[in-house]
């Protein structure tokens, strides 16, 4: 995927004592390696800033989280929820399929979103089952921020402007996070 793309920018993100390099490619993909949950949490926080500030959408903003089991999808969703000041315990929705959280009004994401909706499509067999969760209604509401784990299972139901975040397990501590969605992390500090 990256062989045909030229790297155009390297952004450095300082997290505690580590410096994360964000490689931005000409096709709009960003690639970041994280070595612990603190680094993943900082990537999640910056990701949310970009989604809130830069993403324009007629309906909900949908983020597809892809990767093997244990690659970091749920950890990223939890980090995003924490960055949104969601106080409830955020757990994988694998067995309940969907969890809906109210975003506190004081959080920076609340100017754009009311709800964080976390869906796990792993146990679904296709878009028909996603419809039973009220998908057509929640995806129309522009005040919803929706994270879908395993979006490839319900690919036909996903909007064309879905932001895709892929997680790759490198070793016990290291994950590679690839983000495709024309985000620029311009607001990194």
């Amino acid at each position: 995927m990256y062989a045909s793309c030229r790297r155009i920018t390297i952004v450095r993100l300082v997290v505690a004592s580590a410096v994360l390099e964000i490689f931005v490619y000409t096709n709009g993909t960003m690639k970041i390696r994280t070595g612990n949950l603190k680094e993943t949490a900082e990537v999640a926080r910056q990701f949310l800033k970009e989604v809130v500030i830069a993403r324009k959408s007629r309906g909900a903003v949908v983020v597809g989280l892809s990767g093997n089991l244990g690659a970091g999808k749920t950890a990223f969703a939890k980090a995003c929820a924490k960055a949104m000041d969601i106080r409830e315990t955020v757990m994988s929705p694998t067995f309940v399929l969907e969890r809906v959280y109210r975003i506190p009004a004081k959080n920076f994401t609340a100017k754009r979103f009311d709800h964080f909706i976390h869906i796990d499509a792993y146990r679904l067999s296709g878009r028909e089952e996603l419809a039973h969760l009220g998908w057509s209604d929640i995806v129309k509401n522009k005040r919803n921020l929706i994270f879908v784990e395993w979006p490839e299972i319900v690919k036909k139901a996903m909007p064309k402007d879905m932001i895709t975040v892929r997680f790759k397990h490198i070793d016990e501590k290291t994950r590679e996070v690839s983000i495709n969605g024309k985000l620029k992390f311009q607001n990194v500090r």
Side-chain angles (χ1 to χ4, degrees):
M1 176 174 165
Y2 303 108
S4 63
C5 299
R6 194 169 50 85
R7 185 171 45 202
I8 57 171
T9 310
I10 300 175
V11 177
R12 287 184 172 68
L13 178 62
V14 178
V15 182
S17 60
V19 176
L20 296 178
E21 290 188 331
I22 303 171
F23 296 94
V24 183
Y25 295 83
T26 54
N27 70 350
T29 299
M30 287 183 289
K31 192 160 85 170
I32 309 148
R33 284 203 176 182
T34 63
N36 56 50
L37 289 175
K38 188 180 274 188
E39 291 175 1
T40 299
E42 184 58 26
V43 171
R45 190 177 69 78
Q46 293 296 337
F47 175 80
L48 285 173
K49 281 185 172 182
E50 288 299 320
V51 169
V52 170
I53 294 167
R55 192 60 161 194
K56 304 293 182 231
S57 179
R58 286 188 192 154
V61 171
V62 178
V63 178
L65 305 175
S66 296
N68 292 333
L69 288 169
K73 298 178 299 294
T74 301
F76 186 79
K78 286 180 178 185
C80 286
K82 185 176 180 178
M84 289 185 276
D85 297 323
I86 293 172
R87 300 284 181 230
E88 299 169 64
T89 301
V90 175
M91 300 183 317
S92 173
T94 300
F95 297 103
V96 295
L97 305 179
E98 175 187 61
R99 294 190 185 271
V100 179
Y101 305 93
R102 182 114 181 112
I103 298 170
K106 65 181 175 132
N107 186 270
F108 72 95
T109 57
K111 64 183 170 192
R112 179 78 197 284
F113 303 111
D114 293 327
H115 296 99
F116 171 54
I117 301 171
H118 187 191
I119 297 172
D120 190 327
Y122 186 74
R123 297 185 177 279
L124 301 180
S125 60
R127 70 176 175 188
E128 297 78 22
E129 290 184 4
L130 193 59
H132 294 295
L133 298 176
W135 178 253
S136 61
D137 290 331
I138 65 171
V139 80
K140 286 178 191 171
N141 185 341
K142 67 182 180 180
R143 301 289 299 169
N144 289 335
L145 174 58
I146 306 168
F147 280 28
V148 180
E149 294 191 31
W150 305 96
E152 54 277 0
I153 293 172
V154 289
K155 185 177 182 176
K156 291 182 179 178
M158 296 296 103
K160 293 185 187 330
D161 65 347
M162 176 180 74
I163 299 167
T164 303
V165 183
R166 288 186 176 79
F167 298 86
K168 183 177 177 184
H169 182 268
I170 303 299
D171 60 35
E172 193 62 36
K173 291 183 178 183
T174 310
R175 302 294 186 268
E176 183 176 273
V177 182
S178 300
I179 302 170
N180 190 0
K182 306 293 190 249
L183 302 176
K184 295 182 176 121
F185 276 42
Q186 294 173 345
N187 302 295
V188 170
R189 56 180 179 96

